[in-house]
Amino acid sequence: MHRSRLAGFIIDCERPNLDAAARFWSEALGLPQLGRDGPTYEKLDASARDLHVEVQAVEHRSRVHLDIETDDQEAEVARLEALGARRIGLVQSWWVMEAPTGQRFCVVRSDSWEGKAGINTWP
Amino acid sequence: MHRSRLAGFIIDCERPNLDAAARFWSEALGLPQLGRDGPTYEKLDASARDLHVEVQAVEHRSRVHLDIETDDQEAEVARLEALGARRIGLVQSWWVMEAPTGQRFCVVRSDSWEGKAGINTWP
């Protein structure tokens, strides 16, 4: 048995001024800026929506990618592979995967599940 | 005064088998399928997360795009333009816009605000 759910999304911006990019998305979505999370990330406060949202500076084309959080990354990645997704690579602590429909997404580890909605439990 | 908030996101899939694409994303995210919403959309039930999520068949490259909902589209589009976004075009009832960081997103009309979290009120 393991758990997973949609954690939120990362707004990937190609070679941005990260301060300006985070300011735009903060104001566009009405989500306050929470400051830098390392050199390439800026967190937005989406706690009122029970979501994890960050703006990221990237080298590839701008996009939005989804994050799935789980208490067992290996089991969750295997579950997603069985559905047709494939592993792209392990980056820091998360698995980058590609959906059969082409979108990249990440599988991140979470140890905090208290009070979270929409948790799925998989056999 | 008008209101807006993050409505959710649309998972755009390039020339997919829409049934298979919706099935993958439904199972990957643990969001039940709600059936077709016109010929090119399939809705997922993200009500437990207070989000609107659909899988869409598109002709362009696969991506994920965000939707902002508002009770005044003209005021919201003007607010977003002032932040640096630009209008791409009106499609059916929603405005397609492009962020200064390059991502496309949509501004959709909503008349239902009861019980929704994270609503922003703009002067």
Side-chain angles (χ1 to χ4, degrees):
Chain A
M1 296 255 292
H2 76 280
R3 290 175 289 187
S4 72
R5 68 165 207 156
L6 171 71
F9 53 84
I10 309 294
I11 302 169
D12 294 327
C13 302
E14 183 180 4
R15 298 182 195 182
N17 174 318
L18 184 54
D19 290 332
R23 194 162 52 244
F24 170 79
W25 283 106
S26 167
E27 296 190 9
L29 300 175
L31 302 175
Q33 291 180 247
L34 289 177
R36 288 292 173 97
D37 183 20
T40 61
Y41 289 93
E42 175 127 358
K43 292 180 80 168
L44 302 185
D45 183 2
S47 57
R49 303 298 301 278
D50 188 21
L51 290 169
H52 184 93
V53 177
E54 300 201 32
V55 177
Q56 181 182 199
V58 297
E59 293 296 316
H60 57 69
R61 279 176 55 171
S62 289
R63 65 183 176 205
V64 173
H65 80 253
L66 302 179
D67 275 359
I68 293 174
E69 62 186 338
T70 180
D71 57 3
D72 185 335
Q73 275 177 302
E74 198 48 50
E76 179 66 2
V77 167
R79 186 184 76 82
L80 292 160
E81 284 180 316
L83 296 176
R86 66 189 183 95
R87 297 179 201 232
I88 299 297
L90 188 65
V91 176
Q92 297 182 45
S93 63
W94 55 89
W95 271 100
V96 179
M97 300 194 75
E98 187 171 283
T101 49
Q103 297 89 350
R104 297 278 170 100
F105 63 97
C106 295
V107 178
V108 306
R109 166 101 195 165
S110 177
D111 296 312
S112 153
W113 297 88
E114 193 81 13
K116 288 182 172 175
I119 298 170
N120 303 288
T121 303
W122 309 105
Chain B
M1 296 256 292
H2 77 280
R3 291 175 289 186
S4 72
R5 67 165 207 155
L6 172 71
F9 53 85
I10 309 295
I11 302 170
D12 294 328
C13 302
E14 184 181 2
R15 298 183 196 182
N17 173 317
L18 184 54
D19 290 333
R23 195 161 52 245
F24 169 79
W25 283 106
S26 168
E27 297 190 8
L29 300 175
L31 302 175
Q33 290 180 246
L34 289 177
R36 288 293 173 96
D37 183 20
T40 61
Y41 289 92
E42 174 129 356
K43 290 180 81 169
L44 302 185
D45 182 2
S47 57
R49 302 298 301 280
D50 188 21
L51 289 170
H52 184 93
V53 176
E54 300 201 32
V55 177
Q56 181 183 198
V58 297
E59 294 295 316
H60 58 68
R61 280 176 54 171
S62 289
R63 64 184 177 205
V64 173
H65 80 254
L66 302 179
D67 274 0
I68 293 173
E69 62 186 339
T70 181
D71 57 2
D72 186 335
Q73 275 177 302
E74 199 46 51
E76 179 67 1
V77 167
R79 186 184 74 84
L80 292 160
E81 285 180 315
L83 296 175
R86 66 189 182 96
R87 296 179 202 232
I88 299 297
L90 188 65
V91 176
Q92 297 183 44
S93 64
W94 54 88
W95 270 101
V96 179
M97 300 193 76
E98 187 171 284
T101 51
Q103 298 89 349
R104 297 276 169 100
F105 63 97
C106 294
V107 178
V108 305
R109 166 100 196 166
S110 176
D111 297 312
S112 154
W113 297 88
E114 194 81 12
K116 288 182 173 175
I119 298 169
N120 304 288
T121 303
W122 308 107

